Amino acid sequence: MTETLKCLSPVDGSVYAERALMPLDEARAAVARARAAQPAWAARPIAERAEIVRRAVALIGEANDEIVPELAWQMGRPVRYGGEFRGFQERAHYMADISADALADLRIEDSAAFSRYIRRVPHGLVLVVAPWNYPYMTAINTIAPALIAGNAVMLKHASQTPLVGERIICALRDAGVPGDVAQNVFLSHDTTSALIGAGAFQFVNFTGSVGGGKAIERAAAGTFTGLGLELGGKDPGYVMEDADLDAAADGLMDGAMFNSGQCCCGIERIYVHESVYEPFLEKCVEIVSKARLGNPLDPETTMGPMAQVRFADLVRAQTDEAVAAGAKPLIDRALFPTDGGAYLMPQILVDVDHSMRVMREESFGPVVGIMRVKGDAEAIAMMNDSEFGLTASLWTRDADRAARVGDAIETGTVFMNRCDYLDPALCWTGCKNTGRGAGLSVLGYHALTRPKSYHLKKA
Ligand code: NAP
């Protein structure tokens, strides 16, 4: 019997989409077709592949009006934010723009006697496992450079956002990518692991939870499959005494609450210099109290439901436990009569400490704990007291100090006076349990290709 996946909409719990899962034998056949088709794709000029990816991006842009409500139904983001096309396009275009240079041969010697150079060659078939929280942007981070570099791509998107995988691959095909070179597949975890374990892919890029990353690493053990693992986070903010407090409160509350806190680099804990702690809190409470929690299809809604009821329940449990242990919630429940089920009101907690789960484990929801600190040394120790390391956001007017503090933080990205943003020119990466590897930037191309050395003696 064919197994099916069901996308339950967080809007009302209804089944929004249902798709048949691909059985293992069909998945193996799809892999074989992709591998057979990849060399001809890799033989095309880089500029041609980049142009096709740009055309696909434009096609997604043309469909944006349909995509925005579709996203609201699948994962709950309010329609007022207009979808992900801006970031999707920015990332794909940047990777297309730098492709010729990033993939150019590294010439060591061109003389009468020798030609010596290092070429970047595609891995072959790349599996992209993508999450639902920014389903277009997280997927394109790997798909665009993988294809431009000459790989074939198989996309296994999240069960919460099955239409996204279909739309991306359809656009790529309509733009000119041969059918077998880019494929959308609906796979169970077991089938995914079986394929990885059989060495079906030369590279796997997984974006998702730590548990999922571990399962992928286990599946790949002994196959020497290249892995990029972009996993969870517990990203800190640090507000120094010289910060612009309005900007810090605006930026950090947006970083904590946007997308109902379901951002990999969302702000989950904040350390504030004691001299500005109280005024900072006041500003944060004022901002967060204005959120409008409700149906994401309503243009007035600023905060939609979380993608699944169980995600909201996890955040409720972390919050309740913290409050039972002495934390104080600053946001008045009465302001959010729509709270319940997948719809979770935003919350700011003070009087928290690092013994509480809400300050240690990923919440991936609209709650943030705020603590006062005496200065840089204490803030650095607190920021580093975490199993994760994705981004850290520092608020100050002193760039030298931000760089100095940033040097001491175990993190993938240091932000000053901003947060929750992926700059496609910089490497997207993490340390500790946030995973390993390099996405976007010139280093993203290095991850999606392998070096091949040519040592040609002419005489
Ligand atoms: P998840 O459960 O790990 O799912 C993410 C993707 O991985 C989905 O496509 C999921 O498929 C698939 N997956 C999970 N376990 C798998 C397994 N054992 N075998 C094969 N596929 C598997 O993560 P999530 O809760 O949906 O997403 C939120 C998490 O992603 C958070 O921890 C967040 O921090 C992280 N994230 C990190 C980044 C980053 O750049 N570091 C970016 C975005 C999100 P199904 O949907 O079919 O289960």
Side-chain angles (χ1 to χ4, degrees):
M1 204 182 70
T2 312
E3 282 182 278
T4 56
L5 72 77
K6 280 192 175 68
C7 161
L8 296 185
S9 172
V11 174
D12 58 6
S14 62
V15 177
Y16 183 67
E18 220 169 330
R19 295 290 184 274
L21 288 169
M22 193 181 252
L24 183 56
D25 56 341
E26 278 180 34
R28 284 198 193 105
V31 164
R33 288 197 307 276
R35 288 175 74 162
Q38 183 266 331
W41 172 248
R44 295 205 201 176
I46 295 172
E48 190 181 317
R49 295 193 299 260
E51 192 45 41
I52 290 175
V53 167
R54 283 176 187 280
R55 276 209 295 274
V57 169
L59 291 175
I60 292 286
E62 284 167 21
N64 202 45
D65 287 349
E66 291 163 33
I67 285 174
V68 168
E70 213 171 79
L71 274 177
W73 277 106
Q74 286 175 97
M75 47 71 71
R77 185 176 318 121
V79 291
R80 68 181 288 131
Y81 297 117
E84 298 177 17
F85 185 63
R86 199 150 39 122
F88 180 83
Q89 175 175 254
E90 182 190 19
R91 295 171 188 192
H93 279 188
Y94 181 81
M95 295 311 280
D97 289 348
I98 65 165
S99 56
D101 286 342
L103 295 167
D105 291 347
L106 199 59
R107 307 299 306 192
I108 309 298
E109 182 178 354
D110 277 312
S111 69
F114 282 101
S115 192
R116 294 186 299 137
Y117 51 95
I118 303 165
R119 178 159 290 175
R120 308 274 349 164
V121 297
H123 288 302
L125 175 57
V126 172
L127 174 69
V128 178
V129 183
W132 48 267
N133 64 323
Y134 282 94
Y136 281 92
M137 295 202 287
T138 52
I140 203 65
N141 288 352
T142 308
I143 293 174
L147 286 173
I148 294 171
N151 296 286
V153 165
M154 201 164 259
L155 171 61
K156 184 236 149 318
H157 219 303
S159 303
Q160 195 68 45
T161 43
L163 277 63
V164 178
E166 289 176 338
R167 279 204 182 265
I168 293 177
I169 296 302
C170 184
L172 286 164
R173 288 180 176 179
D174 289 349
V177 179
D180 290 334
V181 169
Q183 300 184 50
N184 179 59
V185 285
F186 296 112
L187 301 179
S188 70
H189 292 185
D190 285 350
T191 304
T192 311
S193 291
L195 292 174
I196 295 172
F201 310 104
Q202 284 67 57
F203 190 84
V204 178
N205 194 87
F206 176 90
T207 307
S209 59
V210 173
K214 284 183 180 169
I216 297 295
E217 200 175 55
R218 273 195 304 274
T223 65
F224 305 119
T225 305
L227 293 183
L229 299 170
E230 300 174 17
L231 312 178
K234 189 81 195 163
D235 288 0
Y238 170 31
V239 182
M240 303 184 198
E241 66 279 14
D242 68 338
D244 173 338
L245 282 195
D246 287 317
D250 270 342
L252 289 169
M253 288 306 104
D254 188 58
M257 306 301 174
F258 188 74
N259 210 29
S260 292
Q262 300 165 121
C263 307
C264 53
C265 53
I267 296 295
E268 299 218 350
R269 50 202 178 106
I270 301 176
Y271 307 97
V272 185
H273 192 275
E274 57 190 1
S275 63
V276 293
Y277 179 76
E278 294 296 344
F280 176 75
L281 284 187
E282 264 173 46
K283 291 176 194 294
C284 291
V285 170
E286 195 190 326
I287 293 166
V288 172
S289 298
K290 287 187 194 140
R292 298 197 52 171
L293 176 70
N295 188 322
L297 296 152
D298 177 348
E300 298 298 311
T301 295
T302 62
M303 188 173 264
M306 295 189 72
Q308 294 182 15
V309 176
R310 73 184 166 95
F311 299 152
D313 286 344
L314 171 81
V315 181
R316 286 192 181 99
Q318 287 184 350
T319 305
D320 290 349
E321 266 173 49
V323 170
K328 187 171 155 214
L330 296 187
I331 304 298
D332 184 358
R333 263 195 76 90
L335 294 173
F336 295 92
T338 45
D339 181 272
Y343 292 81
L344 179 62
M345 64 172 279
Q347 190 53 276
I348 297 172
L349 296 174
V350 292
D351 298 341
V352 286
D353 62 48
H354 280 207
S355 71
M356 298 171 181
R357 264 206 306 158
V358 78
M359 295 301 281
R360 304 200 69 82
E361 295 179 11
E362 187 174 42
S363 303
F364 216 57
V367 63
V368 64
I370 306 185
M371 291 174 70
R372 69 177 93 214
V373 290
K374 290 191 164 45
D376 293 352
E378 189 182 0
I380 290 166
M382 293 305 230
M383 286 190 276
N384 284 340
D385 181 27
S386 170
E387 67 180 82
F388 299 107
L390 185 56
T391 78
S393 172
L394 310 177
W395 293 78
T396 171
R397 290 184 166 86
D398 182 343
D400 291 337
R401 182 173 170 197
R404 246 187 351 265
V405 171
D407 286 345
I409 307 173
E410 296 151 0
T411 187
T413 294
V414 177
F415 287 116
M416 171 178 159
N417 296 339
R418 72 179 312 175
C419 60
D420 195 15
Y421 171 69
L422 268 73
D423 176 349
L426 296 176
C427 180
W428 190 244
T429 185
C431 59
K432 303 202 265 190
N433 280 355
T434 294
R436 67 186 156 106
L440 297 171
S441 79
V442 68
L443 299 188
Y445 276 113
H446 289 191
L448 292 163
T449 52
R450 68 177 178 85
K452 183 172 179 181
S453 293
Y454 289 76
H455 191 145
L456 310 181
K457 187 176 174 207
K458 297 180 181 170

